[in-house]
Amino acid sequence: MLYSHILVAVDLTAECHAVILRAQALANSSQAKLSLINVVEPMAMAFAGDVPMDLSMLQQQQFDQARERVDTFAKTYPELSPDQCHLVYGQPRQEIHRLAKEQAIDLIVVGSHGRHGLALLLGSTANDVLHGAPCDVLAVRLKSST
Amino acid sequence: MLYSHILVAVDLTAECHAVILRAQALANSSQAKLSLINVVEPMAMAFAGDVPMDLSMLQQQQFDQARERVDTFAKTYPELSPDQCHLVYGQPRQEIHRLAKEQAIDLIVVGSHGRHGLALLLGSTANDVLHGAPCDVLAVRLKSST
């Protein structure tokens, strides 16, 4: 058996279906359990003039929308049982690694835009997840971007 | 079929057997062709006093040793046909991506030490290969280091 428990990390954009499909195919070929994680990142502090704005309502809305979309994913992919669809709040790398350790994940699957050079400065989750990962990491190349 | 042609990039250390075994298992489960690449990096310029030293002989020796070791790998893993074991000279990321494009590779497998923070500055092939890769990249976590 190649892997026993695969975690697919998604950003809930249309592109992530390709990532889930790849993770699902790998899970099927390994007869592995498949889990999903989406991490909602904390909003940056905003100021209206000198007064800091309260972003908690916006943050809650963002979280609720993510919850709905994760639930839709769970229905779209029958291999994903609802209790294996994790929606967490925090820094993606940290949360993905934490769940991977907690659940004895042996493969993390994540989408990659294959960024390099200057574009990499904009941030790359695949790159970030790789650093210090407790297990194997598969970066699925998203074809739509370079 | 998950993948059709898998390229495993190795540094010829003892650790890379785990990476080849993982690539081999994936190739078997996908009925994919398996190729191997080792990249010999150019030696840095060296000076003896003010006189630049000629490193070409040393470089040739390094290349010959790598050739022997790649041939041994090819014998150890019967799935690797000798003509699919590539020994090239250059910059690893560039050469791995070049071969991946030339041979229509759809998965590159590479070992990863899971470095992060300061240790990452020492260089990480997995991280480097990921940037601008033309296909999926699997970073196999090497257990011996942190």
Side-chain angles (χ1 to χ4, degrees), chain A residues 1-3 21-22 25-26 29 93 106-107 112 114-117 120 124 126-127 130-143, chain B residues 1-3 21-22 25-26 29 93 106-107 112 114-117 120 124 126-127 130-143:
Chain A
M1 203 157 74
L2 262 166
Y3 295 107
L21 286 172
R22 182 53 48 93
L26 266 167
S29 77
R93 183 172 76 97
D106 43 16
L107 176 69
S112 167
R115 289 187 183 115
H116 54 118
L120 194 65
S124 153
N127 186 59
L130 186 57
H131 300 164
C135 60
D136 289 7
V137 176
L138 173 66
V140 176
R141 183 81 168 85
L142 300 169
K143 304 292 174 196
Chain B
M1 202 157 76
L2 261 167
Y3 294 107
L21 287 172
R22 182 53 49 95
L26 266 166
S29 77
R93 182 171 76 98
D106 43 15
L107 176 68
S112 166
R115 289 187 183 117
H116 54 116
L120 193 66
S124 153
N127 187 58
L130 187 57
H131 300 162
C135 61
D136 289 8
V137 176
L138 173 66
V140 175
R141 182 79 168 86
L142 300 169
K143 303 292 175 196

Side-chain angles (χ1 to χ4, degrees), chain A residues 13-89:
Chain A
T13 62
E15 279 180 327
C16 76
H17 288 286
V19 184
I20 301 179
L21 286 172
R22 182 53 48 93
Q24 203 173 30
L26 266 167
N28 286 343
S29 77
S30 301
Q31 296 180 291
K33 185 174 165 184
L34 183 63
S35 293
L36 176 145
I37 185 171
N38 172 250
V39 185
V40 176
E41 287 186 81
M43 283 181 170
M45 184 72 86
F47 286 87
D50 286 340
V51 186
M53 287 170 66
D54 182 7
L55 295 177
S56 55
M57 259 184 63
L58 275 176
Q59 189 87 65
Q60 187 58 46
Q61 275 177 14
Q62 190 193 15
F63 202 84
D64 292 344
Q65 281 169 9
R67 174 83 275 159
E68 272 177 41
R69 292 163 83 185
V70 165
D71 289 346
T72 310
F73 274 111
K75 282 176 200 152
T76 314
Y77 300 95
E79 282 86 349
L80 288 166
S81 73
D83 63 312
Q84 284 307 321
C85 289
H86 304 270
L87 178 63
V88 293
Y89 180 80

Side-chain angles (χ1 to χ4, degrees), chain B:
Chain B
M1 202 157 76
L2 261 167
Y3 294 107
S4 60
H5 192 174
I6 296 174
L7 176 66
V8 56
V10 294
D11 59 3
L12 304 177
T13 61
E15 278 181 328
C16 76
H17 288 286
V19 183
I20 301 180
L21 287 172
R22 182 53 49 95
Q24 203 174 29
L26 266 166
N28 286 342
S29 77
S30 301
Q31 296 180 293
K33 185 173 163 183
L34 183 63
S35 293
L36 176 144
I37 186 171
N38 173 249
V39 186
V40 176
E41 286 186 80
M43 283 179 170
M45 184 72 86
F47 287 86
D50 286 340
V51 187
M53 287 169 66
D54 182 7
L55 294 178
S56 54
M57 260 186 62
L58 275 176
Q59 189 88 64
Q60 188 57 47
Q61 276 177 12
Q62 191 193 14
F63 203 84
D64 293 343
Q65 281 169 9
R67 175 83 276 158
E68 273 177 40
R69 291 164 82 184
V70 166
D71 289 346
T72 310
F73 273 111
K75 281 177 202 151
T76 315
Y77 300 96
E79 282 85 349
L80 288 166
S81 73
D83 63 314
Q84 283 307 322
C85 290
H86 304 271
L87 178 63
V88 294
Y89 179 80
Q91 197 274 326
R93 182 171 76 98
Q94 222 163 27
E95 295 305 318
I96 292 166
H97 290 180
R98 187 189 51 74
L99 189 71
K101 281 178 200 153
E102 268 177 27
Q103 304 242 341
I105 300 288
D106 43 15
L107 176 68
I108 298 168
V109 181
V110 66
S112 166
H113 289 90
R115 289 187 183 117
H116 54 116
L118 278 178
L120 193 66
L121 294 176
L122 299 171
S124 153
T125 305
N127 187 58
D128 211 31
V129 167
L130 187 57
H131 300 162
C135 61
D136 289 8
V137 176
L138 173 66
V140 175
R141 182 79 168 86
L142 300 169
K143 303 292 175 196
S144 56
S145 33
T146 51

